Amino acid sequence: MKSFVNYLFKNQDLFYKVFLFLLTTFLIVYLFPKGGKFKYEIPKGKPWQYENLYAPFDFAILKTSDELSAEKERINKEHIPYYEYNPEIAEQVKTDLERQFSEVLSDTLSRSVTLALKNFVEETSAEIYRNGLLQEIIPLDQDQIIYLKKGNEATEVSYGNILKQNQLRDFLNRKIDEARLQIFRDELIELFFNSVRPNVTYNESLTQNELESKYNQISYTRGNVERGTIIVAKGEVVEGNKLQVLNSLKAEYESQVWSQANYNWVIVGYSMLVFLALLMLMLFIRKYRYDIFQNNVKVTFIFFNLLLMVLLTVLVIRFNVNYVYVVPLCILPLTLKGFFDSRLGLFTHVITVLLLGFIVPDSYEYMFLQIIAGIVTILTVSELYKRANLFITVGQITMVYILSYFAFTVIQEGSIYEVEPETFLMFLLGGLATLFVQPLIYAYEKVFGLVSDMSLLELSDTNSKLLKELSDKAPGTFHHSLNVANLAEAAANEIGANSMLARVGALYHDIGKMRNPTYFTENQTTSVNSHDELSPRESAEIIIEHVINGIEIAKKRNLPDRVIDFIRTHHGTTTVYYFWKKEKEANKNANPEDFRYPGPIPFSKETAILMMCDSVEAASKSIKEPTSKIIDEFVEKIINKQMEEGQFLNSDITFMEIQMVKKVLKRKLKNIYHLRIEYPE
């Protein structure tokens, strides 16, 4: 039992990766839809490239969206709206008219005139409220038939037969003229306007419910295809009715209710494909980015981002599949390139797109657009910490989306008039969402403890607390670090490495010298050498210790691991040659391992560049009369010696790139020493 526990403890990193791998596979399969997948790509407007296709079962032909829209439009035109008649208002108005009659009209009128006026008011009121009075909001055609609802009964009435409130004055004037009561026109109009109120209102809820009921009665199919009927023959162009029949077959196939056995097999199939895709990603990381593979936090970060993109896409598809291109999938390669490198970013992006190809419509088109956009992202984005670069990259990504979509549409439709402008808006929204990568990277740095180029930009500030302390305690080392940083940045730019990382690593690589600054020649301001009183071995120990001290200081000041790597590797496993030679002269049996730096040797292009620049810059101070030839030989000698000792074997840097770094160092040193062309006498 104890041995088993020890085995688990020793291999806990491996077990964690297996758990992470299986958990990610499970979550992705869980998110995927569990229906069947139609096995044919439908080539709209192109010949059918497969064998003759026969109907595998009976299915109905779905109507096109245009046909359904036409039916809804017809229902809208034929639909009869509902209006509500309120009899209580009519009764209240009748009462108000009787009450105000004596107030508006004079009491001195004769009985016959008063009776005639009362009859007029009563008859006119009855006519106004025969079909009701409407305050018109949505005008209809006068011949439009409507339902006028009185209580529980609804009768058909011509819209023109209902009096509108804005027609009331003309109606009253006409009635007064017909009754020849013009002398009482003002009083009668005042009477009616004081009392009459609209009592007919548009019943929107009832009308809408009736309309929805008719919409629900629409048949979404037209005709049926029986099992065994040929749907499309090989070489036949897929368009018109053939296209709609194929789309109907696909929809029916993917929406069928599966038996438990079939459902389980679908799960097994999805699990195998997702398992293989994620396995390829894991193997890629293990083979080509082994340093990342060994770091569980970084592996978790990569799988988390992949899962996040799948989750966002699935959620958008479930909400509305037309918005699938709003998902900023290019955030994935942008983020991974910002934290790691381009190759890993692109490979992870491709794996993610392949996984999403299972669930998106028009999977080939989707994968083509997303992979091309990912390639453009990797090729164009550089120095992400510069805001202008991010905007330019996002603009290029959006343009690639638009151009690719336009090309696909022209190929499929054979016309530019079928291009949907709404899709361009989706691409623009996706581009805007991609700009969220900067705050996202900041959040990732805090959560996962990683470092990006934006953090490196902050660390490159020479006014930072740690670099100011270095400047105060070891001014010579600080000046040396600045020179090395300039050389490393120029060399990294020359070979396409991360120049910001190389510069920051160079600025901090010698912070360990703050512990014993006077034991390093660049900080000695007098002729007294602290090493004169020490043995060569003791001196070598102090010199070597600056690497260990630097790592301790860096960890206490929370410098990122990517920067600490430069402190660890800037001397590799070389020897402190001066003191080793001095010890060997005194003791021929001296052990060279006592004078060797602990390593490791550089394991990236940037750390290899720092080793070259640090050695060349430090040793260049010993050149008494520099000439162009001397500098060339000097640079060649130092770097060739490092190559012979195998210091660059793990750094993934080529011979050609080393030669390019040499040229940069030679040119920079000549500029530092202000060398001019030697003219013949």
Side-chain angles (χ1 to χ4, degrees):
M1 182 66 182
K2 186 177 179 180
S3 60
F4 179 72
V5 172
N6 290 334
Y7 174 77
L8 290 178
F9 182 78
K10 289 180 181 178
N11 296 278
Q12 58 181 324
D13 281 354
L14 179 61
F15 286 121
Y16 174 79
K17 291 182 181 68
V18 172
F19 170 75
L20 177 67
F21 179 87
L22 295 177
L23 177 64
T24 307
T25 302
F26 169 78
L27 291 175
I28 292 175
V29 173
Y30 177 78
L31 291 172
F32 278 2
K34 306 304 186 297
K37 184 74 174 176
F38 194 58
K39 62 181 179 180
Y40 300 108
E41 283 289 336
I42 301 177
K44 183 179 178 181
K46 295 180 180 178
W48 181 255
Q49 299 177 350
Y50 309 101
E51 296 298 326
N52 296 350
L53 178 62
Y54 297 89
F57 44 74
D58 296 344
F59 66 93
I61 303 173
L62 298 174
K63 293 178 181 177
T64 64
S65 57
D66 291 339
E67 290 173 333
L68 293 174
S69 298
E71 285 200 38
K72 287 186 177 182
E73 186 65 28
R74 178 182 57 78
I75 289 173
N76 289 337
K77 288 181 178 179
E78 296 176 356
H79 181 61
I80 300 176
Y82 280 83
Y83 284 78
E84 193 82 26
Y85 181 94
N86 191 336
E88 295 178 1
I89 294 178
E91 289 298 324
Q92 184 63 44
V93 169
K94 183 178 180 181
T95 304
D96 291 345
L97 285 171
E98 292 174 356
R99 181 174 52 80
Q100 294 193 28
F101 183 84
S102 59
E103 296 177 6
V104 175
L105 294 165
S106 175
D107 294 338
T108 60
L109 296 173
S110 64
R111 184 178 179 184
S112 60
V113 173
T114 301
L115 185 59
L117 288 173
K118 283 186 176 180
N119 289 336
F120 173 81
V121 171
E122 186 177 339
E123 291 173 1
T124 304
S125 173
E127 189 169 348
I128 289 173
Y129 288 104
R130 181 178 294 113
N131 290 322
L133 180 64
L134 171 67
Q135 183 178 3
E136 189 175 46
I137 298 174
I138 305 173
L140 302 176
D141 293 336
Q142 295 302 306
D143 297 331
Q144 170 79 43
I145 299 298
I146 67 167
Y147 284 122
L148 189 61
K149 188 172 179 289
K150 296 181 180 180
N152 294 325
E153 294 183 0
T155 57
E156 290 186 1
V157 178
S158 174
Y159 182 74
N161 290 338
I162 298 178
L163 185 63
K164 319 306 185 292
Q165 192 171 17
N166 59 359
Q167 300 171 348
L168 182 59
R169 183 179 292 275
D170 293 338
F171 174 79
L172 292 174
N173 283 325
R174 188 174 72 254
K175 285 297 180 181
I176 291 170
D177 290 339
E178 290 175 358
R180 301 188 180 187
L181 296 173
Q182 291 89 341
I183 190 171
F184 301 105
R185 184 187 302 277
D186 293 340
E187 290 83 352
L188 290 171
I189 288 178
E190 181 184 354
L191 174 63
F192 277 100
F193 269 82
N194 286 343
S195 304
V196 170
R197 301 196 309 275
N199 76 323
V200 176
T201 55
Y202 174 61
N203 194 326
E204 184 176 3
S205 62
L206 185 58
T207 302
Q208 195 61 36
N209 289 339
E210 185 72 16
L211 193 61
E212 290 295 333
S213 176
K214 291 182 178 179
Y215 284 162
N216 293 334
Q217 293 174 10
I218 293 176
S219 173
Y220 286 82
T221 62
R222 51 171 179 84
N224 292 289
V225 176
E226 295 182 358
R227 180 178 180 179
T229 304
I230 186 168
I231 297 175
V232 61
K234 184 176 182 180
E236 191 173 359
V237 177
V238 179
E239 58 185 358
N241 188 58
K242 294 285 183 186
L243 176 63
Q244 190 58 25
V245 172
L246 281 169
N247 286 330
S248 301
L249 174 61
K250 180 179 179 181
E252 180 69 20
Y253 188 86
E254 294 181 349
S255 65
Q256 281 186 340
V257 178
W258 291 78
S259 66
Q260 186 62 39
N262 288 339
Y263 178 84
N264 291 337
W265 280 116
V266 170
I267 296 295
V268 170
Y270 271 131
S271 300
M272 291 176 64
L273 292 175
V274 173
F275 181 90
L276 287 173
L278 295 181
L279 180 63
M280 294 304 104
L281 176 59
M282 189 68 85
L283 291 176
F284 176 87
I285 297 172
R286 188 180 186 279
K287 182 173 179 62
Y288 295 104
R289 295 293 179 269
Y290 191 70
D291 57 317
I292 296 175
F293 182 80
Q294 290 179 309
N295 190 317
N296 284 340
V297 174
K298 293 180 179 179
V299 175
T300 304
F301 175 75
I302 294 169
F303 276 74
F304 171 79
N305 275 274
L306 186 152
L307 185 61
L308 179 63
M309 290 297 109
V310 173
L311 174 62
L312 287 176
T313 305
V314 170
L315 291 177
V316 168
I317 289 175
R318 289 179 181 177
F319 173 71
N320 190 332
V321 72
N322 294 324
Y323 296 158
V324 67
Y325 286 108
V326 175
V327 179
L329 207 62
C330 288
I331 279 183
L332 181 61
L334 276 173
T335 304
L336 295 184
K337 182 177 181 180
F339 284 113
F340 306 119
D341 58 75
S342 303
R343 188 185 295 182
L344 178 59
L346 182 59
F347 193 88
T348 308
H349 177 73
V350 171
I351 292 294
T352 307
V353 172
L354 291 176
L355 290 173
L356 293 175
F358 297 144
I359 60 174
V360 296
D362 300 321
S363 55
Y364 176 76
E365 177 181 336
Y366 176 86
M367 289 191 293
F368 183 91
L369 264 65
Q370 295 293 7
I371 290 175
I372 291 296
I375 293 172
V376 170
T377 302
I378 293 298
L379 293 179
T380 59
V381 68
S382 59
E383 299 176 330
L384 192 59
Y385 55 87
K386 294 182 179 178
R387 288 171 294 181
N389 288 356
L390 178 60
F391 279 98
I392 292 170
T393 298
V394 169
Q396 291 172 330
I397 293 169
T398 306
M399 185 57 63
V400 165
Y401 275 133
I402 292 173
L403 291 176
S404 301
Y405 167 74
F406 179 82
F408 267 103
T409 304
V410 170
I411 291 172
Q412 293 171 352
E413 304 292 344
S415 170
I416 63 172
Y417 300 107
E418 298 297 327
V419 173
E420 297 178 0
E422 295 82 2
T423 307
F424 293 154
L425 178 61
M426 298 300 118
F427 293 140
L428 291 174
L429 292 175
L432 292 175
T434 306
L435 295 174
F436 186 69
V437 68
Q438 280 198 329
L440 188 65
I441 285 176
Y442 178 79
Y444 281 154
E445 287 179 335
K446 300 304 179 185
V447 174
F448 290 92
L450 301 173
V451 60
S452 68
D453 285 352
M454 284 177 273
S455 293
L456 292 176
L457 181 63
E458 296 175 4
L459 290 170
S460 67
D461 184 7
T462 54
N463 290 318
S464 66
K465 188 176 180 180
L466 183 55
L467 290 180
K468 272 196 166 187
E469 186 179 344
L470 177 65
S471 176
D472 292 338
K473 292 183 177 179
T477 299
F478 177 72
H479 182 70
H480 159 72
S481 298
L482 286 177
N483 288 337
V484 174
N486 292 331
L487 292 174
E489 184 177 21
N493 278 325
E494 186 72 18
I495 67 171
N498 190 331
S499 58
M500 179 59 68
L501 179 60
R503 179 175 183 82
V504 172
L507 287 173
Y508 291 91
H509 79 283
D510 269 345
I511 56 174
K513 292 181 179 179
M514 288 192 295
R515 293 272 176 89
N516 299 296
T518 57
Y519 284 91
F520 300 90
T521 55
E522 67 265 24
N523 298 313
Q524 294 171 358
T525 56
T526 64
S527 59
V528 178
N529 191 332
S530 302
H531 290 282
D532 291 342
E533 299 177 1
L534 301 175
S535 68
R537 185 170 178 176
E538 291 173 328
S539 296
E541 287 178 357
I542 293 174
I543 297 296
I544 291 172
E545 265 185 3
H546 89 274
V547 174
I548 309 300
N549 293 335
I551 294 172
E552 291 177 359
I553 293 171
K555 287 186 175 180
K556 286 181 180 178
R557 300 300 181 88
N558 295 319
L559 288 184
D561 286 341
R562 292 177 78 185
V563 177
I564 297 176
D565 289 340
F566 287 87
I567 302 174
R568 288 192 183 100
T569 63
H570 74 278
H571 285 296
T573 55
T574 59
T575 56
V576 186
Y577 187 73
Y578 175 81
F579 292 108
W580 155 242
K581 189 174 181 182
K582 195 174 180 181
E583 175 71 12
K584 193 175 181 181
E585 289 174 356
N587 179 13
K588 293 183 179 180
N589 297 322
N591 186 0
E593 296 302 317
D594 295 335
F595 296 82
R596 192 178 299 280
Y597 285 98
I601 61 176
F603 46 79
S604 68
K605 290 182 180 181
E606 291 79 13
T607 51
I609 288 171
L610 175 62
M611 172 179 273
M612 290 185 264
C613 295
D614 180 45
S615 302
V616 167
E617 201 284 332
S620 67
K621 298 292 190 278
S622 63
I623 302 177
K624 293 183 171 50
E625 295 181 1
T627 64
S628 180
K629 183 179 180 182
I630 290 175
I631 287 176
D632 288 349
E633 293 175 350
F634 168 79
V635 171
E636 290 286 344
K637 178 182 177 182
I638 289 178
I639 297 179
N640 287 344
K641 186 173 186 299
Q642 292 172 340
M643 293 173 64
E644 290 171 3
E645 293 178 354
Q647 298 298 316
F648 305 136
L649 291 178
N650 295 340
S651 57
D652 192 29
I653 191 169
T654 65
F655 286 115
M656 180 179 291
E657 288 170 338
I658 292 174
Q659 292 301 319
M660 294 167 70
V661 172
K662 287 180 181 178
K663 288 181 181 178
V664 170
L665 295 178
K666 292 173 184 176
R667 184 176 71 247
K668 287 287 183 181
L669 286 177
K670 291 172 186 176
N671 291 336
I672 290 172
Y673 287 109
H674 305 291
L675 296 182
R676 298 179 180 273
I677 300 172
E678 297 180 6
Y679 294 98
E681 297 181 359

